[in-house]
Amino acid sequence: MGYEIGPRLRKYREAQKLNQKEFAKRIGVSNSRVSNWEQGHNRPDVDILADICAVLNVSPSELLDIRLSPDDLNDQERSVIAQYRKKPDLRKAVNILLGVEDGG
């Protein structure tokens, strides 16, 4: 059984101009593990998803191909998300404040 996340991982990794080895190093895994993900042999664990998304500069919903209805977010929430995406230098601090990433 193949996992569907592989092609999206490759697409976003290549968009960031990273080879598998560079990407693997940034998220703290082996490049063979990244290769297995991209080939659909297995998929990343949920506990590494935030690191993957940060390195690839993509939201979890984009990476996982989850579509939200426009009604799921109000105008302020959409504005916050847009600003979060525009300011990568502040993401780590925001993630720590929200408890989605530790400070270490």
Side-chain angles (χ1 to χ4, degrees):
M1 172 183 176
Y3 294 103
E4 296 178 13
I5 192 171
R8 288 188 298 279
L9 270 172
R10 174 174 283 146
K11 176 179 99 171
Y12 292 120
R13 176 182 57 75
E14 289 174 348
Q16 293 297 315
K17 302 194 182 336
L18 294 170
N19 63 39
Q20 285 182 346
K21 187 174 182 178
E22 293 167 328
F23 176 59
K25 183 176 180 180
R26 288 193 186 184
I27 62 171
V29 300
S30 68
N31 58 315
S32 63
R33 198 162 164 202
V34 172
S35 177
N36 284 337
W37 295 340
E38 290 185 358
Q39 292 177 38
H41 297 305
N42 54 35
R43 60 184 170 216
D45 297 327
V46 70
D47 58 342
I48 197 168
L49 192 60
D51 293 335
I52 290 171
C53 290
V55 170
L56 297 180
N57 196 28
V58 65
S59 71
S61 43
E62 287 175 295
L63 183 63
L64 300 172
D65 198 30
I66 298 170
R67 303 284 178 229
L68 294 175
S69 161
D71 298 331
D72 291 342
L73 300 174
N74 65 37
D75 289 340
Q76 182 181 9
E77 290 166 331
R78 279 191 283 280
S79 176
V80 168
I81 290 168
Q83 292 304 312
Y84 177 86
R85 289 178 178 168
K86 289 179 184 177
K87 299 182 177 169
D89 53 322
L90 295 178
R91 287 185 193 155
K92 185 166 182 75
V94 170
N95 290 346
I96 291 169
L97 287 171
L98 294 175
V100 294
E101 182 176 296
D102 67 64

